[in-house]
């Protein structure tokens, strides 16, 4: 099953970039002091979902830290002429505090001028480095009431710099969606496949017609012919003109090395920013075996047709 899943892309995930060189800079220490001492200015979005601001409001000799508060499950941040730093606090009021949250961000295609970090209890993990290739790539991770720290990078000319990203915050279980950060392209386990069937935004049976690569976005597009549609929350898969099934496209990481494979697979995944992202993709005959085994032992998390 593992080799077969790998031929179909196996599972796709979001790699966790390595943190920058050790030792926080003065600004990163300042952000913690600013929060503790109340020295950071606060800005509230007018619609509570998105924020747009400018670094030109800072005095030239000061490296200020601004606090931005957003209370939606999805939105966008756009920071023109970035200087100093932002702390973006995401506090959606639609989820219970006990629920586990997943945060996905997608940098704007022309975003530049700042690094984006996940900040939690004073610890920073680099998510997007200024100048990274594949800026449009979606990054997902566990989000336990932390914040996003956006730090402007030194620039000779900030007049053409804008840092921005879209975000989505959900309370769904992460096992079938986030994928192991240490091995984002590894095939799913039997348990992960069965969970993905129950929790994914789309579940289809089909074959790979073509794979196209987008090096600039560090992504691959998988073009599918679908013979059976079990579930889809968005109209990713459309009926073919000849009425012989459905067609659609899903994306995954370029590094996963997806290639066309013969035979039928079960494709699962989630919608992120209007795009279908590949989750687990075992060969269909392997999925049938997994499902039968789980059914016999009473460990099936949900029911679906396997014929």
């Amino acid at each position: 099953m593992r080799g077969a899943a790998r031929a179909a892309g196996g599972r796709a995930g979001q790699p966790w970039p390595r943190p920058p060189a050790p030792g926080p800079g003065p600004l990163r220490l300042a952000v913690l002091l600013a929060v503790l001492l109340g020295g950071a200015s606060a800005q509230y979005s007018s619609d509570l979902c998105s924020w747009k601001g400018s670094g030109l409001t800072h005095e030239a000799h000061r490296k200020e830290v601004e606090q931005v508060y957003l209370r939606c499950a999805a939105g966008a941040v756009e920071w023109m002429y970035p200087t100093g730093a932002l702390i973006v606090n995401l506090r959606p009021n639609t989820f219970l505090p006990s629920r586990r949250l997943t945060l996905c961000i997608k940098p704007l295609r022309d975003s530049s001028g700042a690094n984006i970090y996940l900040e939690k209890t004073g610890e920073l993990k680099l998510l997007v480095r200024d100048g990274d290739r594949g800026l449009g790539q979606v990054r997902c991770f566990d989000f336990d009431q932390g914040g996003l720290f956006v730090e402007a990078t030194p620039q000779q000319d900030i007049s053409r710099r804008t840092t921005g990203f879209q975000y989505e915050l959900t309370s769904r279980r992460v096992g079938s969606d986030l994928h192991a950060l240490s091995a984002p392209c590894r095939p799913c386990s039997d348990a992960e496949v069965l969970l993905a069937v129950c929790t994914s935004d789309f579940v289809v049976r089909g074959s790979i017609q073509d794979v196209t690569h987008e090096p600039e976005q560090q992504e691959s597009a998988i073009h599918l012919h679908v013979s059976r549609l079990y579930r889809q929350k968005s109209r990713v898969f459309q009926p073919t003109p000849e009425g012989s099934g459905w067609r659609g496209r899903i994306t995954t990481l370029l590094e996963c090395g997806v290639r066309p494979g013969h035979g039928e697979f079960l494709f699962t995944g989630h919608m992120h920013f209007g795009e279908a992202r590949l989750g687990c993709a075992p060969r269909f005959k392997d999925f049938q075996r997994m499902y039968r085994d789980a059914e016999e032992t009473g460990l099936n998390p949900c029911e679906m047709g396997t014929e």
Side-chain angles (χ1 to χ4, degrees), residues 68-216:
V68 175
Y69 293 87
L70 300 174
R71 296 189 177 278
C72 276
V77 170
E78 189 173 356
W79 190 24
M80 299 179 294
Y81 320 118
T83 59
L86 296 177
I87 297 178
V88 182
N89 299 278
L90 301 174
R91 297 291 185 272
N93 53 15
T94 55
F95 303 119
L96 297 175
S98 60
R99 296 294 296 273
R100 195 175 184 185
L101 300 179
T102 297
L103 175 64
C104 294
I105 66 171
K106 181 179 182 180
L108 301 181
R109 192 174 295 269
D110 297 322
S111 180
S112 66
N115 297 324
I116 303 174
Y117 301 85
L118 176 66
E119 185 277 324
K120 183 180 178 183
T121 61
E123 201 174 313
L124 298 178
K125 291 185 180 291
L126 181 64
L127 301 178
V128 183
R129 187 188 300 276
D130 185 20
D132 270 355
R133 294 184 63 196
L135 272 177
Q137 182 180 325
V138 176
R139 295 158 170 88
C140 295
F141 44 90
D142 259 348
F143 186 76
D144 184 17
Q145 296 300 306
L148 292 175
F149 179 50
V150 187
E151 180 187 20
T153 54
Q155 303 288 338
Q156 292 292 327
D157 179 11
I158 65 170
S159 63
R160 297 183 180 179
R161 304 286 180 175
T162 297
T163 295
F165 58 87
Q166 298 171 276
Y167 72 87
E168 292 178 341
L169 193 54
T170 68
S171 60
R172 65 172 167 256
R173 296 183 65 177
V174 300
S176 63
D177 187 31
L178 281 189
H179 319 296
L181 296 172
S182 60
C185 300
R186 70 170 178 83
C188 294
S189 67
D190 290 7
E192 288 168 332
V193 168
L194 294 171
L195 179 61
V197 167
C198 303
T199 61
S200 293
D201 291 338
F202 63 87
V203 181
V204 301
R205 174 182 177 178
S207 57
I208 300 175
Q209 299 297 294
D210 192 19
V211 177
T212 56
H213 303 295
E214 301 172 11
E216 289 189 3

